[in-house]
Amino acid sequence: DDAETQVDQLTPLVDSIKREAGEVMRPQSATSIGSVVVQERLNELVSLFKGRTERQKDRLLDPDESEEESPTKAPPAPPPPPPPGEGKKEDTSAAAEEEEVEPFQFEPQLPKLPPMPDWLRAILDYRFPSSIDPFTDLIYVIWLFCVVAAWNWNVWLIPVRWAFPYQTSENIHLWLLADYTCDFIYILDMVIFQPRLQFVRGGDIVCDKKDMRENYMTTERFKMDVISLFPMEIFYVFTGVNSLLRFPRLLKYMVFFEFNDRMEAVMKKAYIYVIRTSTYLLYSLHINACLFYWGSDYEGLGSTKWVYDGKGNSYIRCYYFAVKTLITIGGLPDPTTVFEICFQLINYFVGVFAFSIMIGQMRDVVGAATAGENYYRACMDSTVKYMNSYNIPREVQNRIKTWYDYTWKSQGMLEQELLVQLPAKMRLDIAVDVNYSIVSKVALFQFQGCDRQMVFDLLTRLKSVVYLPGDFVCKKGEIGREMYIIKQGEVQVVGGPDLQTVFVTIRAGSVFGEILLAGGGGNRRTANVKAHGFANLFILDKKDLAEILVHYPESQKLLRKKATMLTKDKKPEEKRPSKATVEVIPPRPDTPKLFKAALKVTEQAGIEGTFAKLKKAYRPLPPPSPMHRRSPIPRSCPREDGDDSVAETADSSVIIRMTPRREGEELLTVEVAPKEGEKEEKTEK
């Protein structure tokens, strides 16, 4: 059993060895077949593997018999290594086989797609909104353009197809394709866009789908849209393709006026008024040309001199007739029949009224477009008249005229008329967008805790002022009541005897005068500042700043503190006097400390008590003998009330005198009588 188990275990090994041997023997290429040496060697290896396998199998089946009969054999010697040339051949053959196999490993690669354009990606990523703002959404304005184009197709071409023979059986399919495309645009507008328009109800903007749809269905526009899509084309079965049956499409006229309103909001100037009035004129001429051709066809082409003779381009010739008729130029042939006379009379009446109305509208359009310029001219004329009445010098008048011209060219209107009609909130929004970046750079307002709303309030108080070249913005010594922010242009700080020396040039975006604005009243300007060219400055008055700071007490404290810090930083360093400087009036030296102490004690105990204590402390010398002669110096005159204070010893050898000099100062005099042969000493302190 154990032997059979071992045989079973070795059988897979033997089979694998045989497979390996078979694979080795199987030639894989023409190169391996040509190698005779390699083939012989492989055969030897296979025979050895087979013999070894048989012996191992017999040993496992009968281990005793195999041990007696079969002598021990030495292990076979290892095969000699192949010669160098053969090894190289084997390597070469293997490499050749790999090279031959590689081409069969074919992997198909798809061509790389080009990158998608940004506009196409934007279209694919676009998601249609659930609600549309009809006043600001650009997509809606573009869609209105498409709807207006479809409406104009019907308005302009329905009369042409009815009157002129341009619609034939050969091109009828093209006309119908264009008609049904316009109808499809009408349906999309009524089903998708109009029910999604936002509206205002009670001051709130409604964006709910159901409410927007119900609101659209209750409007007059919905009724006109439904009527405009009434399918009168079913009568084509009886009348043929007649363009007059599409006249309900003209009832979608509201989209034309809505598009005009949106374009007025988008365009910078009122060009839409001129375009719309010109369109009215051209369309009236277009209808008259169609009617003239219809009348000529009714009378018979070329039947009379008045009708169209059928030569040349029919539309151009009929349009020329309409222009001469409605504008009443004249030079037309006289009508001969009753129909021609009635037609011409109606043309004349319509032309007079239509053109008078259009000329009036054109005048209104031009007047509205030039209203600002007319106001500017009126203001300038009034100013010139005022200056002439008071005999203002010509130089001053020229400067005022220059100011008017520059203000009009740079701003388009006078500053006092800007943004007057807007509410305070909108003026603040515009001021923040235009001026906040400049005011935020002012060092005075760059401190922690500065209220942002306070800065916004300051923006609404800024006043724009234009200075002409050479005008002084401020002069040295003036009371500083304004802060200046340079919006455009340059100013120069000048000095010198003729005020022509330029110290520094301040450019747009800079600020000056802000420290005096936040300081106390009475601050004076320290420099002369004048405009180098045309300079547009924003001015903030101190009174306006005070009115604003009343509502921001915390910011007011911080603002004062910041102004004080900036003032200290800008003060020049004090120059120390040099040692060689000689003072004309030297400063008064301080009073000695010992004398101050003596005066203080004197005020408390009296002068006699003070010097009595000093006498005991220092043990003065005993008085001289009675034979001692008094000092020859005469005693001072007796003191009057309020004069000197005098104290002396018993023998009058020491006299102390306090003499008042000026307010807060006293002179202490001590007189000592000398011995014989010595001079009198006098000490002043």
Side-chain angles (χ1 to χ4, degrees):
D1 296 335
D2 296 336
E4 291 178 0
T5 304
Q6 294 179 1
V7 170
D8 296 334
Q9 293 177 355
L10 290 174
T11 299
L13 178 62
V14 173
D15 296 335
S16 63
I17 293 173
K18 289 181 178 180
R19 286 194 300 270
E20 293 176 0
E23 291 175 1
V24 172
M25 291 177 64
R26 187 185 305 114
Q28 297 182 0
S29 63
T31 306
S32 60
I33 295 174
S35 179
V36 179
V37 179
V38 175
Q39 185 69 24
E40 292 178 354
R41 184 60 182 169
L42 290 175
N43 293 333
E44 291 178 0
L45 289 175
V46 171
S47 60
L48 290 175
F49 276 120
K50 287 183 178 180
R52 183 180 177 183
T53 303
E54 294 294 336
R55 287 193 300 271
Q56 188 69 19
K57 185 177 180 181
D58 295 340
R59 185 180 299 175
L60 292 175
L61 294 175
D62 192 1
D64 297 334
E65 183 178 357
S66 62
E67 288 179 0
E68 294 176 356
E69 294 180 357
S70 61
T72 58
K73 295 182 179 180
E86 294 180 359
K88 292 181 180 179
K89 290 181 180 179
E90 291 180 359
D91 297 340
T92 305
S93 62
E97 292 174 1
E98 292 179 358
E99 292 178 357
E100 291 179 358
V101 173
E102 286 180 358
F104 294 98
Q105 297 178 357
F106 177 75
E107 296 181 0
Q109 295 182 356
L110 297 176
K112 188 176 181 181
L113 297 176
M116 186 180 298
D118 295 338
W119 62 270
L120 182 58
R121 186 180 299 276
I123 293 175
L124 295 177
D125 295 341
Y126 180 75
R127 297 295 180 269
F128 199 79
S130 59
S131 62
I132 301 174
D133 186 0
F135 298 99
T136 60
D137 197 335
L138 183 60
I139 299 297
Y140 182 67
V141 177
I142 296 174
W143 173 252
L144 284 179
F145 173 77
C146 298
V147 180
V148 169
W151 181 77
N152 276 283
W153 167 270
N154 295 314
V155 167
W156 288 82
L157 293 180
I158 285 177
V160 171
R161 293 163 61 186
W162 166 73
F164 292 91
Y166 292 148
Q167 178 178 301
T168 61
S169 58
E170 289 80 9
N171 58 14
I172 188 63
H173 61 283
L174 299 177
W175 291 103
L176 293 178
L177 178 62
D179 290 342
Y180 295 143
T181 302
C182 296
D183 294 346
F184 181 70
I185 293 175
Y186 278 25
I187 294 172
L188 288 180
D189 180 65
M190 190 175 68
V191 174
I192 296 178
F193 283 88
Q194 296 302 323
R196 298 173 184 263
L197 295 183
Q198 302 173 4
F199 67 97
V200 179
R201 182 173 59 189
D204 297 332
I205 300 177
V206 180
C207 300
D208 184 70
K209 292 183 178 180
K210 183 178 179 181
D211 294 340
M212 290 187 296
R213 183 171 60 253
E214 292 177 353
N215 177 72
Y216 170 61
M217 296 177 67
T218 57
T219 58
E220 188 71 21
R221 182 169 182 173
F222 173 74
K223 300 176 183 178
M224 300 303 295
D225 290 346
V226 172
I227 298 174
S228 66
L229 287 173
F230 186 78
M232 294 191 67
E233 287 81 355
I234 58 178
F235 295 102
Y236 284 174
V237 179
F238 307 102
T239 62
V241 181
N242 189 353
S243 61
L244 284 181
L245 295 176
R246 292 183 55 83
F247 77 89
R249 306 297 186 269
L250 307 183
L251 297 178
K252 201 175 177 64
Y253 61 90
M254 292 185 180
V255 69
F256 173 74
F257 296 102
E258 183 182 5
F259 179 72
N260 288 334
D261 295 339
R262 299 297 172 266
M263 292 302 297
E264 290 175 9
V266 173
M267 300 179 71
K268 295 182 179 180
K269 294 186 179 181
Y271 296 129
I272 193 65
Y273 293 108
V274 179
I275 295 174
R276 186 169 59 188
T277 304
S278 302
T279 303
Y280 293 159
L281 174 61
L282 296 176
Y283 187 72
S284 62
L285 296 174
H286 171 77
I287 295 297
N288 190 268
C290 295
L291 293 175
F292 177 69
Y293 185 86
W294 171 79
S296 299
D297 186 47
Y298 176 77
E299 288 287 320
L301 298 178
S303 59
T304 62
K305 294 182 179 180
W306 182 83
V307 299
Y308 170 59
D309 57 0
K311 298 179 181 179
N313 190 299
S314 57
Y315 182 78
I316 297 297
R317 290 182 176 273
C318 292
Y319 202 90
Y320 174 74
F321 172 84
V323 171
K324 295 181 68 175
T325 302
L326 291 182
I327 304 179
T328 62
I329 295 176
L332 295 173
D334 296 332
T336 56
T337 64
V338 177
F339 176 82
E340 294 175 358
I341 295 173
C342 295
F343 188 90
Q344 192 67 16
L345 289 175
I346 294 173
N347 273 346
Y348 285 145
F349 280 115
V350 172
V352 170
F353 285 104
F355 272 83
S356 62
I357 293 173
M358 292 178 185
I359 291 173
Q361 288 186 354
M362 191 66 70
R363 178 181 176 278
D364 295 339
V365 169
V366 175
T370 60
E373 184 177 0
N374 294 334
Y375 177 79
Y376 152 73
R377 295 295 180 187
C379 291
M380 186 172 182
D381 294 341
S382 300
T383 305
V384 172
K385 183 178 180 181
Y386 175 84
M387 292 187 296
N388 291 332
S389 62
Y390 284 92
N391 297 325
I392 303 298
R394 182 61 58 182
E395 182 181 358
V396 178
Q397 293 189 22
N398 293 335
R399 293 181 64 83
I400 293 175
K401 293 178 181 178
T402 304
W403 181 88
Y404 268 104
D405 292 337
Y406 177 78
T407 303
W408 173 254
K409 291 179 181 179
S410 61
Q411 299 178 355
M413 60 180 70
L414 300 181
E415 181 64 24
Q416 59 268 22
E417 299 297 327
L418 289 173
L419 310 177
V420 174
Q421 304 298 331
L422 293 179
K425 182 62 174 63
M426 292 186 179
R427 288 201 299 268
L428 175 61
D429 294 340
I430 295 177
V432 169
D433 293 336
V434 176
N435 305 326
Y436 181 75
S437 59
I438 300 176
V439 177
S440 60
K441 297 178 183 178
V442 180
L444 183 63
F445 304 122
Q446 294 177 352
F447 58 88
Q448 187 176 5
C450 179
D451 198 326
R452 186 183 181 90
Q453 187 61 38
M454 182 197 69
V455 180
F456 289 167
D457 293 344
L458 292 176
L459 296 176
T460 59
R461 302 297 183 95
L462 294 178
K463 301 175 183 177
S464 179
V465 178
V466 176
Y467 288 89
L468 302 182
D471 284 353
F472 277 90
V473 180
C474 60
K475 291 187 177 181
K476 186 176 181 180
E478 293 180 348
I479 302 299
R481 298 187 180 91
E482 300 91 6
M483 176 186 74
Y484 301 94
I485 303 174
I486 304 176
K487 179 183 178 183
Q488 186 179 7
E490 297 179 354
V491 297
Q492 294 176 341
V493 180
V494 297
D498 53 353
L499 298 179
Q500 297 299 325
T501 304
V502 179
F503 296 127
V504 66
T505 301
I506 308 175
R507 294 177 173 82
S510 302
V511 182
F512 59 94
E514 71 276 12
I515 298 178
L516 297 182
L517 185 67
N523 296 312
R524 295 184 178 273
R525 302 290 183 187
T526 59
N528 298 305
V529 181
K530 73 174 183 178
H532 177 58
F534 288 97
N536 191 351
L537 275 62
F538 284 126
I539 297 179
L540 178 62
D541 192 82
K542 178 181 288 187
K543 182 180 179 181
D544 296 335
L545 179 62
E547 293 177 357
I548 295 173
L549 292 179
V550 170
H551 305 286
Y552 304 95
E554 296 296 332
S555 298
Q556 183 179 10
K557 296 178 182 179
L558 297 174
L559 192 64
R560 302 289 185 189
K561 186 176 181 181
K562 181 71 174 181
T564 305
M565 294 172 59
L566 292 175
T567 305
K568 292 181 179 179
D569 294 340
K570 290 191 175 183
K571 278 186 177 181
E573 297 182 358
E574 296 181 358
K575 296 182 180 180
R576 297 181 179 179
S578 59
K579 295 182 179 180
T581 304
V582 179
E583 297 180 352
V584 179
I585 302 177
R588 182 174 61 86
D590 295 338
T591 305
K593 295 182 179 180
L594 180 61
F595 182 61
K596 289 181 180 180
L599 290 179
K600 187 174 182 180
V601 174
T602 303
E603 292 176 358
Q604 296 177 357
I607 191 168
E608 293 183 0
T610 300
F611 284 95
K613 294 178 181 179
L614 292 174
K615 182 178 180 180
K616 293 179 181 179
Y618 288 97
R619 294 180 181 179
L621 296 174
S625 60
M627 299 302 295
H628 184 72
R629 189 172 56 184
R630 299 285 300 272
S631 174
I633 300 176
R635 295 184 178 182
S636 302
C637 299
R639 181 175 60 86
E640 298 179 359
D641 295 339
D643 291 343
D644 300 348
S645 298
V646 181
E648 58 182 356
T649 58
D651 57 355
S652 301
S653 60
V654 179
I655 301 175
I656 301 174
R657 188 187 307 277
M658 296 292 295
T659 304
R661 281 291 186 88
R662 61 182 67 174
E663 184 178 359
E665 295 183 4
E666 292 181 341
L667 179 65
L668 174 65
T669 305
V670 180
E671 298 177 0
V672 180
K675 297 179 181 179
E676 292 186 21
E678 294 180 358
K679 296 182 179 180
E680 183 181 9
E681 295 180 1
K682 184 176 183 180
T683 305
E684 294 185 7
K685 294 184 180 179

